[in-house]
Amino acid sequence: RAFELYPRARQELRRFGPSSARGAELLRQAIAIEGETPVFRAYRAMVTVAHVRMGLAGARADLGHAKAEARAVIAARPDAAYGYSLLGFIGYEEGELREAVQALRAALERDPSDPDAHFYLGISLIAAGQQDEALAVSRRFVTADPLSPFAQMLAGVATWFAGRAEEGLPFLRRALELEPEGALQHWTLGYALASLGRPAEAEVEAEWMQRHVPGIPYT
């Protein structure tokens, strides 16, 4: 039962916005059943990272505890990806991009199918100015998992800073088809349309965000 709750919790966290609270509750239920296993500890800390992304008051102060959890999880399960993924997510949020990339590559060595690690690796490379490598990561991700909304989203976003945002629109539209309730999917499509001088289309996505996730910085 606990490990049925766990993938549901991950899915809710990926949707961003209010669904992260549902994910946190599902994870709490799983821990109540199975105890604080390393994987559950890692994803509980990932809730903290999600809260930082959403701009929740006081969340950034908890990143130090989340980093300590990441190192503890890696020590307990050095063969598993999730501790390294967590460390990479935190590195990205703290602007420690070299460390983020190293940790996320270590995660993907252990689990090449981890969609969260792929996505954060891609945006860490973008933030570090490594646009060609980010595009290469996004292409590999789409090829490996074409039904992942994160794969399609990364493929679209990776085109922005290479000056080819128009090429990314089909990927961003596909990401939204695959995850129609995903706040980040609406934001990335709307942002791309706005940057391309198509405000009427961008407004559709902005209005969705105002209705569903009015309090997050992306809106």
Side-chain angles (χ1 to χ4, degrees), residues 119-170:
F119 183 75
Y120 264 88
L121 175 60
I123 62 175
S124 294
L125 289 164
I126 290 168
Q130 305 296 316
Q131 310 309 334
D132 290 342
E133 181 60 21
L135 284 165
V137 167
S138 73
R139 286 193 292 268
R140 291 196 295 270
F141 191 11
V142 167
T143 299
D145 193 358
L147 296 180
S148 166
F150 269 39
Q152 299 291 338
M153 186 165 58
L154 179 62
V157 169
T159 65
W160 296 353
F161 299 98
R164 293 152 47 186
E166 189 78 39
E167 292 179 24
L169 286 180

Side-chain angles (χ1 to χ4, degrees), residues 171-183:
F171 295 105
L172 297 175
R173 294 189 191 282
R174 179 60 176 149
L176 189 55
E177 289 174 5
L178 291 166
E179 185 52 272
E181 299 304 313

Side-chain angles (χ1 to χ4, degrees), residues 6-209:
Y6 163 67
R8 289 171 53 200
R10 288 188 67 177
Q11 184 61 24
E12 293 290 355
L13 285 174
R14 288 181 185 137
R15 290 195 175 112
F16 209 55
S19 66
S20 69
R22 295 193 294 271
E25 173 57 21
L26 290 169
L27 194 56
R28 187 198 64 76
Q29 293 174 26
I31 291 170
I33 295 168
E34 189 67 14
E36 296 196 353
T37 66
V39 67
F40 290 170
R41 287 177 63 185
Y43 277 90
R44 184 172 59 190
M46 286 179 192
V47 173
T48 297
V49 182
H51 288 171
V52 171
R53 295 251 85 199
M54 289 187 288
L56 296 185
R60 186 164 290 277
D62 294 330
L63 280 182
H65 175 71
K67 184 179 284 188
E69 282 288 86
R71 298 195 185 284
V73 167
I74 290 170
R77 287 294 310 276
D79 59 323
Y82 40 79
Y84 292 96
S85 291
L86 173 59
L87 198 60
F89 303 164
I90 295 167
Y92 175 80
E93 294 300 336
E94 293 184 328
E96 301 292 343
L97 299 174
R98 183 187 301 275
E99 290 81 356
V101 168
Q102 289 173 346
L104 292 163
R105 283 180 168 151
L108 290 170
E109 287 172 4
R110 290 157 175 80
D111 180 5
S113 67
D114 186 331
D116 304 296
H118 271 290
F119 183 75
Y120 264 88
L121 175 60
I123 62 175
S124 294
L125 289 164
I126 290 168
Q130 305 296 316
Q131 310 309 334
D132 290 342
E133 181 60 21
L135 284 165
V137 167
S138 73
R139 286 193 292 268
R140 291 196 295 270
F141 191 11
V142 167
T143 299
D145 193 358
L147 296 180
S148 166
F150 269 39
Q152 299 291 338
M153 186 165 58
L154 179 62
V157 169
T159 65
W160 296 353
F161 299 98
R164 293 152 47 186
E166 189 78 39
E167 292 179 24
L169 286 180
F171 295 105
L172 297 175
R173 294 189 191 282
R174 179 60 176 149
L176 189 55
E177 289 174 5
L178 291 166
E179 185 52 272
E181 299 304 313
L184 288 179
Q185 282 78 10
H186 284 276
W187 179 77
T188 49
L189 178 57
Y191 189 92
L193 290 165
S195 72
L196 288 166
R198 295 160 65 170
E201 294 171 83
E203 187 177 359
V204 174
E205 308 309 326
E207 288 176 346
W208 184 96
M209 296 191 73

